[in-house]
Amino acid sequence: MRKHRIWLHSIAAIVALCASGVLTGLPVRGQSADEQDMETALRLASLLRSARSVIASNQDLINDPKGGDKGLTGDHVLELATVAYLKANGTPPLHDGQDPQEARLIEAQMQAIRAVMADNQATINADGVGFKGFVPAVFGRLVNEKFAGLVGTEAQVKVTAPPDLIRNRKAIPDAWETRIIADDLMSQDWPKGQVYAELTDLGGKPAYRVLVPEYYSAGCLSCHGEPKGEIDVTGYPKEGGREGDLGGVISISIFR
Ligand code: HEC
């Protein structure tokens, strides 16, 4: 009797999985739901990275103590980010034939970028102030927070890191992120740059979760490098990282 109920339960689960395209890989929204969620997640990570790279390459302008309008508006950042994004993806962030949810989420991310740049014009243009603290990581966090305010029930983008590298408490990895970072992304045989993805849940809701590893490049080490413990320009102790070490993870969740 008990066996039978379990059996029926399994059938129901398999039917449900097939309907969602998980087991069959049958087209849902043109491709399987997992494939589409993966693409959406990677596109969100790519636009975030592109915009962050614009903030990185404009640090000298941002930190120029000569004030006045520097022209680093949200539209300008998006224009430059689009060039980087196009190079990485072969299409602009928004394009014809795009999955509607992907388009909606990318649009929200663009809106978040515009809002963060608008909010920080006074800081960026401040007269007589050198280092502004408007570094790519801060910009990225603010964009992700705005994004959450716009689409938090649909998706979440967060930049996190292995627990011992965390600077801002808001970036602390959750239990799932901590486990996958330790067991997979940091394991010796994990291929460098390979993305981790899993249909699991977040806050009790089913979600397709994607982790995109990021490694320290030479430009990161003035703040995150050696000697470990020395205070960097932003006031945080350096992590003692080396070029090529896993420095962080972009964690994207698309709720189902
Ligand atoms: C000018 C100093 C500076 C440089 C250069 C820098 N970072 Fe950071 N990084 C910071 C600061 C400050 C924070 C904390 C941001 C915040 O408040 O959210 C941070 C946060 C992070 C985080 C989020 C997790 C956390 O600790 O809060 C990651 C991941 C990260 N940095 C990776 C990198 C990588 C990768 C590079 C190079 C591509 C880089 N950083 C370059 C200063 C820097």
Side-chain angles (χ1 to χ4, degrees), residues 1-237:
M1 190 59 192
R2 193 159 163 263
K3 228 178 191 171
H4 184 63
R5 283 216 330 255
I6 288 169
W7 187 76
L8 276 181
H9 189 79
S10 306
I11 293 281
I14 289 166
V15 168
L17 282 169
C18 287
S20 72
V22 170
L23 287 186
T24 58
L26 279 176
V28 177
R29 292 182 283 162
Q31 43 188 336
S32 83
D34 286 3
E35 277 168 6
Q36 180 55 56
D37 283 349
M38 173 67 105
E39 184 187 307
T40 301
L42 294 181
R43 298 282 163 131
L44 289 167
S46 184
L47 185 55
L48 181 71
R49 275 176 145 164
S50 301
R52 255 186 355 195
S53 74
V54 173
I55 300 306
S57 53
N58 279 285
Q59 284 295 297
D60 286 351
L61 176 67
I62 292 168
N63 293 329
D64 185 346
K66 196 169 148 308
D69 187 2
K70 294 178 176 170
L72 205 56
T73 61
D75 282 338
H76 188 48
V77 168
L78 277 174
E79 206 178 292
L80 297 172
T82 297
V83 175
Y85 182 97
L86 198 55
K87 211 181 228 174
N89 300 284
T91 55
L94 294 172
H95 58 87
D96 286 345
Q98 193 167 19
D99 171 74
Q101 187 188 35
E102 181 185 305
R104 199 164 56 243
L105 294 176
I106 289 283
E107 230 164 310
Q109 200 180 37
M110 293 169 81
Q111 198 180 325
I113 290 167
R114 283 197 196 88
V116 169
M117 293 314 293
D119 288 352
N120 284 279
Q121 286 301 302
T123 301
I124 293 166
N125 298 328
D127 200 21
V129 184
F131 184 66
K132 311 287 195 303
F134 194 67
V135 298
V138 169
F139 163 79
R141 175 171 53 77
L142 295 173
V143 168
N144 292 338
E145 286 170 10
K146 284 272 184 218
F147 179 79
L150 294 167
V151 296
T153 55
E154 246 189 291
Q156 179 192 285
V157 181
K158 166 184 175 186
V159 178
T160 184
D164 56 322
L165 299 182
I166 291 296
R167 293 186 161 204
N168 191 310
R169 292 185 54 81
K170 292 177 177 170
I172 292 175
D174 64 24
W176 181 83
E177 289 162 336
T178 303
R179 180 165 53 81
I180 306 302
I181 288 171
D183 294 354
D184 295 281
L185 301 187
M186 295 196 65
S187 86
Q188 287 297 330
D189 50 3
W190 188 258
K192 197 139 203 191
Q194 185 164 305
V195 167
Y196 183 96
E198 187 182 327
L199 181 59
T200 170
D201 60 281
L202 174 58
K205 280 192 291 179
Y208 192 74
R209 302 194 68 181
V210 177
L211 298 179
V212 180
E214 301 204 286
Y215 304 90
Y216 289 137
S217 57
C220 315
L221 302 181
S222 61
C223 293
H224 295 287
E226 292 177 310
K228 187 175 171 155
E230 186 182 86
I231 301 302
D232 75 9
V233 64
T234 69
Y236 281 97

